Amino acid sequence: MSSSPRRPAGPARHLLAPLVVVGLLAAAGALLHRTFRHYSWAELGGDLLALGPGVALAALGATAVSYLAMTGYDALALRYVGHPLPYRRYGLASFVATAFGNNLGASAVVGAALRARVYSRWGVPGAAITRIIGFNVLTLALGAAVLAGGGMVHDPAGTGEALHLPATAVLVAGSLMLASVAGYLVWAGAGRPIGWRGRCVDRPSPGLAVAQVALSTFEWLTMAAALHVLLPAEGRMPFLAFAVAFSIATLAGLVSSVPGGLGVFETTLVVLIGSTTSPAGLAVALVAYRLCYFVLPLLLAAVLLVAHEARPLLAACRPVRPAPAPTPPAPAPSALTRALAPSALTPAVLALGVATAGVFMVVVGDLPGRRELDLSAVTISLAGLAALLTARGLHRRLKAAWAATLVLLAGVTAVAAAHGDLVLAAVTAALALLLVPARPAFHRGALLARPRSPLPPVTAALLVGASVWWHEFSGSCGAVDAPLLVASFSGGTTGADRIAMAAGAVGVLIGGRRAFVPAPPGPRTADEEEMARVSDVVARWGRCTSHLAFTGDKRFRFSPGGTAFLMHQVQGRSWVVMGDPVGDPADFRELVRGFVEEVDRHGGRPVFYNVLPDHADLYRECGLSLAKLGEEAVVPLAEFTLAGRARVNLRNCRNKSQRLGLRVEFVAPEDVEPLLPALREVSDAWLAHRNGKEKRFSLGAFDEEYVRRFPLVVVRQEERIVAFATLWVSGDGREVQVDLMRRLPDGPRTVMTFLFVECLSWARENGFTSFNLGMAPLSGLRTDATAPLWDRIGHLLWSRGERFYNFRGLRTFKHGFDPRWRTCYVAAPGGLALPNAMRDVATLVGGGVRGVVRG
């Protein structure tokens, strides 16, 4: 069995991709700075106007044709999957996904997510959406392979110089691209469907495959035409030669994963065609191309996306016409609905605009204008870095981020206008004006939150202030006046300058990190008054697991009438609720909705851990997705017996245990106190043997105050306690469940099975109707072809993770009592939020994933 290469471990794995992107940006910035160092950026506005309306209209026309052609990708894909839609629907999905994907990093991922969101609203099945996305990516790649592969084969030496690759490697790569296109057409004409692990990829019809190649090639040509018409007429390359260079540069930008290929695309294009075009003309053309092909479509797509998303929210806010018969009032709109419905601009769109301005300042690092009033490139880069941090706060809907962004944009607008940069001043002023009416959407946290400690803000202010003073007023700054990333890697930057730049960057990061943290919730644990209310509710309505409210590690949220509560704790951004609501079911809806809205105000994520399907619809109403966590084993006591062939193993275990001198004793809560020292000895020995520590939150821990609350079952061998377990009893007195279990490592191996057999017999004799054996984690997850990713990962861990946790053994042990299995879920936001939520749950339960799988 071959082993895969070892990946970087721990934090290094997460830092590798950002470091690569930063390195690419720095290298591209250095080359562009050197190429255009003689260009006067103060003339940029005039040079853009000098292009003339005819050239601008031609570029906009080519852009429109290009995006229109890309909607044809979706037309072909819908035909391939056999799910036709009107053009007004798939055209919206295609345009929005393409515009956002072109501007953001990982364009395939961004485009896929947006397509999935729009298509799912039009009722397209998930499996068909996946095939549509794959088909579109393939169509885009076919046209790129035709142009880029043809260019590589035609001029391998020139292409190799631009990509810093040997000419032979470029020739081979180009040949493979062309061969792959030819192979695809042959497969479509005479091949067979491709099958792998139960999945099948159907081949398209020959006509559809030819249409893919032709449409994609045409779209790439129109994309290139949008930039070609902007180049200076004097010395302009022939169009086909330029289209080849353009496709290679675009592929380099896509592979880099830098947002919009910014810097990487321009650098590659400069190397490929820089000798044929003046630097000034090329600079103006590239800026105009970014505006025509990227910025304007992005703004239009943002408006369309907001309109599309706001439509159901506005519908939810409209008053419902009363029906003839009396009906209960419709649920009140959520906090999310109230925040988005009044405004046509969502925080996500505003955050994207601010982030775009921040990237511009970080990469360019210059304010065109009169040099005697100009600021250093490093200072502008630090302001851009601050804009990126505030954009993150805007995306999280924080009031403090809204205020800070408004102040920052107003300052940048004033400075940019004073320095003659009318383009940047207009952009930042427009963003500031858009922020003002959108204030109600930023409802999380406090506007001016008091810092937990004065040290971080003071440190941030000192570091940033010292850096700005050094670069602007000290007179000791070195000769390098370049953007932060470029100056950091430049050989002409002095050591003092590097220290000043690092201090400024660290100060901005510290200040942004501290300023844009949502307001923390209240006290971590409940007081005596709250615990008295909890005890009353649990005694009247509680399930067995409701006794986890007494572990001493939870907060509580009560319904307005005080007859129901949620027990939860905050870990990271996750507000983790243990189990379903407890109390009067009539209060559950208002209780859960109020909790989710409070979590939203604090910028957190709601997580309901280990819930039953009884309230699944309520969780979905609150925007949460349900993922299967495992299965709970419940034994109907009316059917339980030790007689018959099916229970021969249980009888043999019981008889063997009795021959070894084991006997069971059931102890009432008021009689537990004298046994606590012996119970502590057993518990400590068990923990030491397993080299583990107490788990909490979802399980009871050995705490004397907690243990003495419940009935106890004790197993003795010659008067020595060798095992024990606490028992939970439901509020209605019908169900009993084992909670905290401990045994001596050197005790008989049959002791725990013997304990369960005797508990089941005792519960049956005392009139209980069911005995809950607890959950078997990750049991019963789906493994078919349509199973969710979470189920597949969970099943893989269940089947291959015996070295970490005895998943199979626990399921087998409980199955021996012939229980009825009922599904348990975790309700949390979907997508990437679920893994993060489960990580936070693991931290609560066992101090991290390692704590969960140990002991």
Side-chain angles (χ1 to χ4, degrees):
M1 185 175 180
S2 61
S3 60
S4 58
R6 188 179 298 274
R7 295 181 177 179
R13 183 188 309 170
H14 304 286
L15 291 175
L16 182 59
L19 287 176
V20 170
V21 172
V22 170
L24 288 171
L25 276 172
L31 178 58
L32 293 176
H33 181 74
R34 185 168 62 250
T35 302
F36 300 120
R37 64 183 181 275
H38 298 301
Y39 177 68
S40 175
W41 292 99
E43 302 173 1
L44 178 59
D47 289 342
L48 288 174
L49 294 176
L51 290 173
V55 173
L57 288 175
L60 291 173
T63 299
V65 173
S66 175
Y67 277 89
L68 182 64
M70 274 187 277
T71 63
Y73 291 6
D74 289 76
L76 297 178
L78 290 166
R79 179 180 172 187
Y80 170 71
V81 301
H83 199 291
L85 284 176
Y87 180 80
R88 66 180 184 277
R89 294 185 176 178
Y90 73 77
L92 172 66
S94 176
F95 176 72
V96 169
T98 303
F100 275 88
N102 283 345
N103 284 272
L104 302 179
S107 59
V109 177
V110 174
L114 289 171
R115 275 189 172 88
R117 182 164 183 81
V118 176
Y119 276 133
S120 61
R121 181 155 293 173
W122 299 128
V124 180
I129 294 175
T130 302
R131 296 172 66 196
I132 289 171
I133 293 169
F135 188 90
N136 284 343
V137 172
L138 177 60
T139 305
L140 179 69
L142 288 171
V146 170
L147 289 177
M152 291 178 178
V153 172
H154 181 262
D155 185 12
T159 306
E161 180 183 356
L163 300 178
H164 300 285
L165 293 174
T168 304
V170 172
L171 180 62
V172 171
S175 301
L176 289 175
M177 288 184 183
L178 295 177
S180 64
V181 176
Y184 178 74
L185 293 174
V186 171
W187 174 66
R192 297 179 179 178
I194 300 175
W196 181 69
R197 291 191 177 184
R199 296 177 177 272
C200 181
V201 178
D202 295 324
R203 63 183 179 90
S205 65
L208 194 61
V210 171
Q212 281 181 272
V213 176
L215 180 62
S216 180
T217 304
F218 173 76
E219 190 275 321
W220 278 87
L221 291 173
T222 57
M223 195 191 315
L227 177 55
H228 188 259
V229 298
L230 295 169
L231 293 173
E234 184 178 354
R236 183 186 295 171
M237 290 180 64
F239 175 67
L240 286 180
F242 172 80
V244 170
F246 175 89
S247 63
I248 295 172
T250 303
L251 284 178
L254 289 174
V255 172
S256 71
S257 292
V258 174
L262 189 64
V264 179
F265 165 78
E266 286 83 357
T267 301
T268 308
L269 200 62
V270 164
V271 175
L272 287 172
I273 71 169
S275 60
T276 65
T277 307
S278 67
L282 183 56
V284 174
L286 288 173
V287 172
Y289 172 69
R290 286 285 177 183
L291 292 173
C292 290
Y293 200 86
F294 288 83
V295 177
L296 292 179
L298 176 63
L299 294 176
L300 178 58
V303 172
L304 293 175
L305 180 61
V306 170
H308 179 265
E309 294 296 316
R311 186 178 303 164
L313 298 177
L314 292 172
C317 293
R318 295 191 187 105
V320 180
R321 182 175 299 175
T327 58
S334 66
L336 179 64
T337 302
R338 292 196 302 269
L340 283 181
S343 175
L345 293 170
T346 66
V349 175
L350 292 172
L352 180 61
V354 174
T356 303
V359 170
F360 177 83
M361 288 188 285
V362 169
V363 175
V364 175
D366 196 10
L367 288 176
R370 299 184 296 278
R371 289 296 169 184
E372 63 271 14
L373 298 177
D374 208 0
L375 297 175
S376 73
V378 173
T379 300
I380 299 302
S381 294
L382 291 177
L385 183 60
L388 291 175
L389 293 176
T390 54
R392 183 172 182 269
L394 288 175
H395 183 70
R396 297 178 65 179
R397 306 171 185 271
L398 302 180
K399 295 178 184 177
W402 176 84
T405 303
L406 200 59
V407 172
L408 179 64
L409 289 175
V412 173
T413 300
V415 175
H419 290 69
D421 189 353
L422 300 182
V423 175
L424 180 59
V427 171
T428 53
L431 289 172
L433 292 175
L434 291 174
L435 273 177
V436 174
R439 165 64 183 83
F442 300 91
H443 56 280
R444 294 173 177 168
L447 188 61
L448 295 173
R450 177 178 297 178
R452 302 171 189 174
S453 168
L455 183 60
V458 171
T459 302
L462 290 176
L463 290 175
V464 175
S467 178
V468 173
W469 174 83
W470 176 264
H471 288 97
E472 302 299 334
F473 308 110
S474 70
S476 303
C477 183
V480 175
D481 185 19
L484 186 64
L485 294 175
V486 176
S488 300
F489 292 93
S490 173
T493 306
T494 65
D497 288 342
R498 293 183 190 276
I499 293 175
M501 287 187 294
V506 171
V508 171
L509 293 175
I510 292 175
R513 175 68 180 87
R514 292 293 178 178
F516 305 134
V517 174
R524 284 190 58 84
T525 54
D527 55 26
E528 293 183 2
E529 180 183 353
E530 283 186 325
M531 291 310 303
R533 297 166 64 190
V534 167
S535 298
D536 180 64
V537 174
V538 171
R540 295 178 62 186
W541 286 291
R543 295 173 49 212
C544 287
T545 53
S546 302
H547 292 288
L548 286 170
F550 304 110
T551 55
D553 57 0
K554 295 178 179 65
R555 311 169 194 253
F556 297 94
R557 180 184 178 89
F558 291 90
S559 62
T563 57
F565 69 83
L566 296 172
M567 48 180 163
H568 67 97
Q569 191 51 271
V570 180
Q571 176 62 45
R573 286 190 59 206
S574 298
W575 293 44
V576 184
V577 178
M578 183 62 228
D580 292 300
V582 182
D584 186 354
D587 293 342
F588 286 178
R589 181 176 300 278
E590 184 179 5
L591 177 62
V592 171
R593 291 175 67 92
F595 174 79
V596 172
E597 291 187 356
E598 181 184 3
V599 174
D600 180 69
R601 286 193 298 270
H602 285 83
R605 68 170 71 90
V607 181
F608 290 78
Y609 179 73
N610 195 8
V611 298
L612 297 178
D614 305 14
H615 309 294
D617 291 340
L618 174 58
Y619 299 133
R620 293 191 179 101
E621 286 177 16
C622 295
L624 305 179
S625 301
L626 270 67
K628 188 170 183 178
L629 192 61
E631 293 178 314
E632 194 174 59
V634 180
V635 179
L637 293 176
E639 304 173 7
F640 178 75
T641 177
L642 291 177
R645 295 181 58 185
R647 303 298 171 86
V648 63
N649 291 333
L650 296 181
R651 290 198 306 273
N652 291 338
C653 178
R654 185 187 195 189
N655 294 334
K656 181 179 179 180
S657 299
Q658 290 174 341
R659 289 195 300 268
L660 292 173
L662 299 183
R663 61 184 178 86
V664 166
E665 176 184 344
F666 291 90
V667 183
E670 58 270 18
D671 298 326
V672 171
E673 182 72 29
L675 302 178
L676 288 176
L679 300 179
R680 167 70 71 180
E681 180 181 347
V682 174
S683 178
D684 291 346
W686 184 82
L687 289 173
H689 175 72
R690 296 180 65 88
N691 192 27
K693 61 180 181 179
E694 292 279 13
K695 295 181 175 60
R696 298 184 180 274
F697 191 73
S698 65
L699 297 168
F702 190 90
D703 176 79
E704 292 187 359
E705 182 178 354
Y706 176 77
V707 172
R708 64 167 64 98
R709 292 188 62 93
F710 306 107
L712 193 71
V713 54
V714 172
V715 180
R716 296 181 182 270
Q717 186 179 35
E718 298 178 357
E719 301 304 320
R720 183 178 73 143
I721 296 178
V722 295
F724 72 90
T726 56
L727 298 176
W728 287 335
V729 178
S730 62
D732 59 8
R734 304 182 62 184
E735 186 172 89
V736 64
Q737 179 175 349
V738 169
D739 173 33
L740 176 67
M741 295 178 287
R742 296 288 191 266
R743 61 181 290 265
L744 288 176
D746 58 351
R749 296 182 59 184
T750 60
V751 63
M752 297 312 295
T753 304
F754 178 61
L755 182 149
F756 272 93
V757 169
E758 294 300 313
C759 283
L760 284 160
S761 300
W762 169 85
R764 188 171 186 270
E765 292 169 2
N766 283 272
F768 293 98
T769 60
S770 60
F771 193 96
N772 194 320
L773 299 174
M775 185 177 63
L778 305 182
S779 170
L781 301 185
R782 291 170 51 195
T783 59
D784 56 274
T786 60
L789 179 62
W790 168 258
D791 281 33
R792 298 184 187 185
I793 295 175
H795 180 74
L796 179 65
L797 183 60
W798 185 81
S799 58
R800 305 285 180 87
E802 293 298 309
R803 58 176 294 190
F804 302 110
Y805 190 88
N806 190 19
F807 295 105
R808 287 179 177 270
L810 184 62
R811 164 84 186 203
T812 301
F813 172 79
K814 295 180 178 181
H815 187 71
F817 294 93
D818 193 24
R820 302 293 181 265
W821 295 96
R822 59 188 183 192
T823 302
C824 300
Y825 296 94
V826 57
L832 296 178
L834 180 59
N836 292 326
M838 295 307 298
R839 178 201 61 205
D840 291 338
V841 171
T843 302
L844 280 178
V845 173
V849 177
R850 179 178 297 181
V852 172
V853 300
R854 288 175 58 188

